[in-house]
């Protein structure tokens, strides 16, 4: 459930002071173009190359850094709801250069095609698309290390349970699930779902806090997604983020409705005892989206849980709040598993 815009606060304020006249015009009149340009630049600066591949009737975009190496599992990164490969830029930039990393734009996100209206958007349907992608780019020749955050974390877990032969290990970061203690955001989501069930109408979807339609709503999302609140975020950048997302909101509503329903929101907990590959669980201690109490539930169910990291002073946006701690945690898990395998 991470946003595409959060990372912008680190440098866009400084960039705005050195804009050319043409860039200034874009910044003021078409801020979404400015945001999109910066996001692509951040992906490239992290070392990833932007690529595309066809899987069936869809084109899927992704970022890739490095090449597959014999005896070393490639890392496949799965982003959160309404995000894309850009959200991984701070982490990829900190990973050792000898690691092969692929950050996928899930269908309907980033530069990937939007699935047709009739397509099932459940977790099981999405992992079939992920499998197609893995095969299409040749990652299936050796088991992969699949890493996901939020929605991507749940997808990583379900994928590992369904296709264990394709997975060397899995890292789930604050994965999307129902938790014993609910955050304010989770309560709001539950109320929206209940309204849809009670009325048979989708009107309540427009109150979803994860799909902001105004700069104020975007600012609110930024605030609850991060523990370290942005000191300054130019108004034009926030407006640009809203404008950039607007063409995709229809799809986001469809996806949110599908994943928030009970059968999907409880799926990870239900199938967690079938995730047999070496497993790594990471959570921000101050997560205001998916409460850290979910970690205790999964700790009691995951049969091959090798490492649990609860990161202090960190919210849902682990990749922004504590990218260094997140990277260290990931590398420690990889080292531990290599040692165990030897």
């Amino acid at each position: 459930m991470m946003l595409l815009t959060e990372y912008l606060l680190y440098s866009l304020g400084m960039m705005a002071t050195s804009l050319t006249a043409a860039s200034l015009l874009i910044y003021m009149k078409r801020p979404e173009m400015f945001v999109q340009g910066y996001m692509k630049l951040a992906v490239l600066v992290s070392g990833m190359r932007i690529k595309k591949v066809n899987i069936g009737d869809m084109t899927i975009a992704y970022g890739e850094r490095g090449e597959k190496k014999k005896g070393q599992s490639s890392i496949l990164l799965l982003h959160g709801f309404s995000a894309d490969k850009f959200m991984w830029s701070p982490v990829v930039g900190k990973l050792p250069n000898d690691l092969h990393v692929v950050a996928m734009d899930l269908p309907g996100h980033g530069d990937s095609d939007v699935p047709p209206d009739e397509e099932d958007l459940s977790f099981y349907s999405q992992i079939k698309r992920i499998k197609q992608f893995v095969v299409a780019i040749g990652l299936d020749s050796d088991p992969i290390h699949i890493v996901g955050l939020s929605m991507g974390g749940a997808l990583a877990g379900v994928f590992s349970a369904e296709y264990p032969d394709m997975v060397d290990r899995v890292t789930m970061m604050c994965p999307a699930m129902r938790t014993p203690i609910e955050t304010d955001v989770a309560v709001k989501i539950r109320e929206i779902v209940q309204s849809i069930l009670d009325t048979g109408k989708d009107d309540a979807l427009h109150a979803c806090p994860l799909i902001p339609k105004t700069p104020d709503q975007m600012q609110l999302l930024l605030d609850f997604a991060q523990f370290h609140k942005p000191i300054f975020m130019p108004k034009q950048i926030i407006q640009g983020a809203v404008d950039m997302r607007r063409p995709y909101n229809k799809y986001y509503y469809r996806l949110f409705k599908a994943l928030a329903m009970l059968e999907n929101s409880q799926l990870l907990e239900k199938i967690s005892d079938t995730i047999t590959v070496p497993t790594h669980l990471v959570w921000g201690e101050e997560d205001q989206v998916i409460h850290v109490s979910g970690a205790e539930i999964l700790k009691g169910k995951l049969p091959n849980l090798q490492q649990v990291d609860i990161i202090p002073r960190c919210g849902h946006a682990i990749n922004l709040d504590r990218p260094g701690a997140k990277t260290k945690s990931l590398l420690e898990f990889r080292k531990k598993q290599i040692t165990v395998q030897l």
Side-chain angles (χ1 to χ4, degrees):
M1 301 178 187
M2 302 304 304
L3 294 197
L4 304 176
T5 56
E6 294 164 335
Y7 184 45
L8 303 176
L9 64 95
Y10 292 101
S11 56
L12 278 178
M14 292 184 290
M15 287 177 61
T17 62
S18 59
L19 294 173
T20 63
S23 297
L24 181 60
L25 181 63
I26 294 174
Y27 179 77
M28 296 304 296
K29 299 294 186 181
R30 295 291 303 276
E32 74 278 9
M33 293 178 62
F34 188 84
V35 172
Q36 289 169 336
Y38 175 77
M39 288 168 58
K40 283 185 169 55
L41 178 62
V43 170
L44 295 173
V45 169
S46 75
M48 289 189 281
R49 294 164 292 165
I50 299 174
K51 299 181 177 182
K52 293 186 177 182
V53 65
N54 292 325
I55 58 169
D57 57 346
M58 292 187 66
T59 297
I60 297 295
Y62 61 103
E64 182 176 28
R65 196 193 71 179
E67 298 178 348
K68 278 178 58 64
K69 291 182 175 63
K70 187 72 174 178
Q72 182 187 86
S73 58
S74 298
I75 299 176
L76 174 62
L77 301 170
L78 303 178
H79 59 74
F81 177 82
S82 77
D84 70 8
K85 58 187 174 295
F86 164 75
M87 67 160 275
W88 294 108
S89 298
V91 175
V92 173
K94 292 180 179 296
L95 289 171
N97 290 328
D98 64 337
L99 290 179
H100 179 224
V101 184
V102 173
M104 177 185 182
D105 280 351
L106 292 164
H109 295 77
D111 298 314
S112 291
D113 288 346
V114 175
D117 290 346
E118 65 276 9
E119 180 158 318
D120 175 21
L121 299 180
S122 67
F123 281 126
Y124 280 119
S125 177
Q126 290 196 67
I127 65 168
K128 290 177 182 177
R129 288 288 193 182
I130 295 171
K131 180 183 179 183
Q132 288 179 306
F133 170 76
V134 168
V135 172
I137 66 170
L139 281 184
D140 59 322
S141 58
D142 293 293
I144 59 174
H145 180 183
I146 189 167
V147 179
L149 190 150
S150 195
M151 178 185 75
L155 287 168
V158 177
F159 186 95
S160 300
E162 195 74 5
Y163 309 115
D165 292 342
M166 299 182 71
V167 180
D168 173 52
R169 63 196 84 179
V170 58
T171 297
M172 295 183 286
M173 301 179 174
C174 49
M177 62 178 289
R178 290 285 181 98
T179 56
I181 301 174
E182 291 184 305
T183 64
D184 291 343
V185 174
V187 170
K188 183 64 176 177
I189 290 173
R190 177 166 51 79
E191 291 173 348
I192 290 171
V193 171
Q194 191 59 52
S195 176
I196 293 172
L197 293 174
D198 290 344
T199 65
K201 298 180 179 180
D202 293 343
D203 296 351
L205 285 174
H206 296 282
C208 178
L210 304 177
I211 308 176
K213 297 173 290 300
T214 68
D216 286 345
Q217 291 174 353
M218 177 65 76
Q219 185 63 63
L220 178 63
L221 193 152
L222 292 172
D223 288 343
F224 68 64
Q226 294 177 251
F227 175 74
H228 299 288
K229 310 303 181 191
I231 297 174
F232 173 68
M233 177 70 81
K235 184 177 180 180
Q236 281 300 103
I237 296 303
I238 297 177
Q239 183 64 60
V242 172
D243 293 343
M244 178 184 67
R245 293 166 56 94
R246 187 171 289 117
Y248 301 95
N249 282 350
K250 180 181 177 182
Y251 173 72
Y252 294 156
Y253 285 133
R254 286 175 54 207
L255 181 60
F256 171 81
K257 180 181 177 182
L259 298 185
M261 291 299 173
L262 195 62
E263 63 271 19
N264 277 308
S265 65
Q266 294 185 334
L267 181 60
L268 181 61
E269 179 183 350
K270 182 179 178 181
I271 59 93
S272 58
D273 62 350
T274 67
I275 302 174
T276 57
V277 301
T279 304
H280 179 206
L281 192 61
V282 184
W283 225 294
E285 190 172 40
E286 307 296 334
D287 196 325
Q288 296 183 55
V289 180
I290 304 170
H291 196 271
V292 68
S293 60
E296 291 301 317
I297 297 296
L298 294 179
K299 281 165 64 175
K301 292 178 177 290
L302 292 164
N304 198 3
L305 182 60
Q306 300 266 338
Q307 183 173 324
V308 179
D309 294 302
I310 307 299
I311 302 178
R313 305 182 308 283
C314 184
H316 191 66
I318 304 176
N319 54 310
L320 302 179
D321 273 335
R322 301 289 304 277
K326 176 177 179 176
T327 305
K328 180 181 178 182
S329 168
L330 194 64
L331 293 176
E332 285 178 349
F333 174 58
R334 286 181 66 85
K335 182 179 179 181
K336 177 183 295 185
Q337 287 311 119
I338 291 172
T339 301
V340 169
Q341 289 168 358
L342 292 176

